[in-house]
Amino acid sequence: MMKGKKEAMGQRGAARDCRILYAVVIGVTMGIFWAYLRPHGFFRPATPSTLVVDRVGGATSKLDGAVLGLEAKVAMLEREIKRLENENKELSVFKIKNDVLQQEATAAKKQLEALSPSVKIGPPGTVKSIRTNPKVQPDDSVNPKLSALLKKIAVNGELIVGISNNNVQEMVKIWFESIQRAGVTNYLIVALDDEIAKFCTDHDVPVYRRDATIAKVQADTGDNHAISGSKFHLLREFLVLGYSVLLSDVDIVYLQNPFKYLHRDCDVESMSDGFDNITAYGYDDVMDEPSMGWARYAHTMRIWVFNSGLFYIRPTVPSIELLDRVTAKLAKEKAWDQAVFNEELFNPSHPGYDGLHASRRVLDFYQFMNSKVLFKILRKEANFADYKPVTIHVNYHPDKHARMLAIVEYYVKGNKDALKHFPDGSEW
């Protein structure tokens, strides 16, 4: 009996030992299999390469954030600069308006003083005559279409007016681009043909289409002179409508706003063909005639002519009379319009002739410069290397387009060699 129990217990112990052995074998096998599939276990440790990627990624993220922040600041600064530029333009316009109002107030005060009832004359130096003539009363009925256009374009009742046909299209482009670059918006082209009118319209340039009235006597004086002579007739309507005009040839480059440099105290302010203080502003020229003995020296007053390609004219009675006189003379005589313009401005009354009582001013020849001053003098002077004129008129040279391009290169684009290869004068 006891022997049977022992045998039964021995069989159960053997069975248990077999199950434990099987469990160990299965566990070891599964461990080897799992170790093969997941050598790093359930949680993969951070390797050096992973750490590097994480760090670089973090740094890149921070750098991207910094770049985005910098771009936002730059954009903000650009908006602020744009705002300040717009404010500066507005302030510039207000300044010109204020200057004009002050000039008009001063002129009105002088007119009132001169027209006041007779008073006792003060000490020397206190007596002043009228130079700033009053403006005419505007008459819109003269040209309603032009009047409506000028009301949109003019600023302070004044504007730049250029007159051109399609023969000088390349120069017209340099002309209006320089005006725009100078910040001037009150300008207009009087187009003498459909081609130049379309060209201006395509470039968003204010344009007024008008046929030129050229006198028969001027028909064979050359295209430029014939058109130049007709401008006095065309200009009359602007003045009768009450507008002051800076009449401008298209062979002029604008580098600054010219309205900031006008005085508005005379009927006509004009650039000069003179090249220094003496020739531009007048001098005592002495003629020597030895045969006269004691009276051999005769003193004369001379001034180089006003340039009829750039002058500011106010809407006054003497100004309109000047235009009418020049137009009438050019209709009867084969003459150069600039010569006639100066004769009517300067010739005094004498037997058989009543002189024009128009006040006049010579503009600063370094500000409103002719091309003789630039190419013969100024470009060679080191003291003027950084000087910028208001306008430069290529009136002394026939290669106008090339010199206008060179002026833009020199003063706008900063090419200091742009003017060097041109001769002082013209090459025949």
Side-chain angles (χ1 to χ4, degrees):
M1 186 77 176
M2 288 297 291
K3 183 179 180 181
K5 289 182 179 178
K6 287 180 180 179
E7 288 176 354
M9 290 178 65
Q11 290 175 354
R12 285 197 295 272
R16 184 176 66 251
D17 292 340
C18 288
R19 287 196 297 273
I20 292 171
L21 180 61
Y22 291 151
V24 171
V25 171
I26 291 171
V28 170
T29 302
M30 290 182 67
I32 293 171
F33 182 70
W34 187 259
Y36 174 77
L37 292 177
R38 299 295 298 268
H40 299 294
F42 287 103
F43 303 100
R44 182 178 179 178
T47 63
S49 60
T50 304
L51 290 173
V52 170
V53 171
D54 289 341
R55 287 168 185 164
V56 171
T60 302
S61 178
K62 290 180 180 178
L63 181 60
D64 288 344
V67 170
L68 290 174
L70 182 60
E71 288 178 348
K73 290 180 180 179
V74 170
M76 182 182 69
L77 288 173
E78 287 177 346
R79 290 194 297 271
E80 183 66 12
I81 290 171
K82 188 68 176 176
R83 184 185 68 80
L84 291 173
E85 286 177 348
N86 291 334
E87 286 186 1
N88 187 53
K89 289 180 181 179
E90 293 176 359
L91 289 173
S92 179
V93 171
F94 287 140
K95 184 180 184 305
I96 294 175
K97 287 183 178 180
N98 185 58
D99 290 344
V100 172
L101 289 174
Q102 289 182 353
Q103 290 169 347
E104 290 181 348
T106 301
K109 182 180 179 181
K110 290 180 178 179
Q111 291 168 11
L112 181 61
E113 291 174 352
L115 295 173
S116 296
S118 299
V119 294
K120 185 181 279 188
I121 294 297
T126 63
V127 179
K128 302 292 181 182
S129 61
I130 295 179
R131 280 178 294 277
T132 310
N133 287 300
K135 294 180 179 180
V136 299
Q137 182 177 348
D139 184 0
D140 292 345
S141 65
V142 171
N143 190 331
K145 180 180 177 181
L146 179 59
S147 177
L149 179 61
L150 295 181
K151 286 177 181 177
K152 297 178 182 178
I153 296 173
V155 176
N156 296 325
E158 59 188 8
L159 72 160
I160 300 172
V161 174
I163 301 173
S164 180
N165 60 20
N166 199 51
N167 292 342
V168 289
Q169 185 183 110
E170 292 179 332
M171 289 196 295
V172 170
K173 188 172 187 293
I174 299 174
W175 180 82
F176 68 67
E177 285 179 345
S178 71
I179 290 176
Q180 294 168 351
R181 197 163 43 241
V184 178
T185 59
N186 49 327
Y187 69 99
L188 174 73
I189 277 284
V190 177
L192 301 181
D193 55 45
D194 293 335
E195 291 79 9
I196 196 65
K198 183 179 184 304
F199 178 75
C200 291
T201 301
D202 290 344
H203 288 80
D204 295 324
V205 172
V207 62
Y208 174 65
R209 176 70 173 91
R210 180 68 185 270
D211 289 323
T213 303
I214 299 175
K216 292 181 179 179
V217 72
Q218 301 293 333
D220 60 349
T221 59
D223 189 58
N224 288 341
H225 281 183
I227 291 176
S228 186
S230 68
K231 67 189 177 189
F232 298 95
H233 170 69
L234 297 174
L235 189 56
R236 187 185 200 273
E237 289 184 347
F238 289 83
L239 269 61
V240 175
L241 291 172
Y243 292 90
S244 298
V245 172
L246 180 60
L247 194 282
S248 171
D249 284 355
V250 296
D251 57 345
I252 295 175
V253 177
Y254 287 76
L255 300 171
Q256 297 188 62
N257 186 338
F259 294 109
K260 295 180 179 180
Y261 298 89
L262 298 173
H263 296 263
R264 303 175 180 84
D265 62 343
C266 294
D267 297 307
V268 177
E269 296 179 55
S270 176
M271 69 165 287
S272 172
D273 274 359
F275 58 91
D276 56 21
N277 287 341
I278 293 176
T279 56
Y281 308 142
Y283 62 103
D284 178 13
D285 185 33
V286 181
M287 176 183 175
D288 184 8
E289 191 176 2
S291 63
M292 288 299 295
W294 176 81
R296 64 184 291 179
Y297 300 111
H299 292 257
T300 69
M301 290 306 299
R302 298 189 64 183
I303 184 172
W304 285 37
V305 294
F306 279 15
N307 190 290
S308 62
L310 184 67
F311 62 88
Y312 179 80
I313 186 165
R314 297 176 61 251
T316 66
V317 170
S319 296
I320 296 172
E321 184 182 359
L322 168 65
L323 299 180
D324 289 346
R325 287 186 177 211
V326 175
T327 301
K329 195 167 185 176
L330 291 175
K332 296 182 294 184
E333 302 177 15
K334 184 181 292 186
W336 183 24
D337 66 281
Q338 181 162 289
V340 176
F341 176 69
N342 280 271
E343 288 169 358
E344 294 299 334
L345 265 178
F346 289 98
N347 283 349
S349 298
H350 55 265
Y353 176 80
D354 291 329
L356 182 70
H357 293 195
S359 56
R360 52 202 181 272
R361 169 183 284 273
V362 184
L363 292 168
D364 187 324
F365 71 92
Y366 277 127
Q367 292 179 343
F368 297 85
M369 189 179 296
N370 61 60
S371 56
K372 180 176 182 177
V373 174
L374 175 63
F375 286 99
K376 189 174 182 180
I377 302 170
L378 190 133
R379 65 169 171 168
K380 303 173 185 178
E381 296 289 340
N383 292 338
F384 284 93
D386 297 322
Y387 177 74
K388 181 183 287 187
V390 178
T391 63
I392 299 177
H393 189 180
V394 187
N395 61 316
Y396 270 99
H397 301 88
D399 51 341
K400 297 178 181 295
H401 183 247
R403 294 195 186 233
M404 290 176 75
L405 288 173
I407 289 168
V408 173
E409 280 288 323
Y410 184 90
Y411 285 103
V412 178
K413 300 182 181 179
N415 181 4
K416 296 305 179 182
D417 295 326
L419 305 177
K420 288 183 178 179
H421 68 280
F422 290 97
D424 289 354
S426 59
E427 296 178 343
W428 295 96

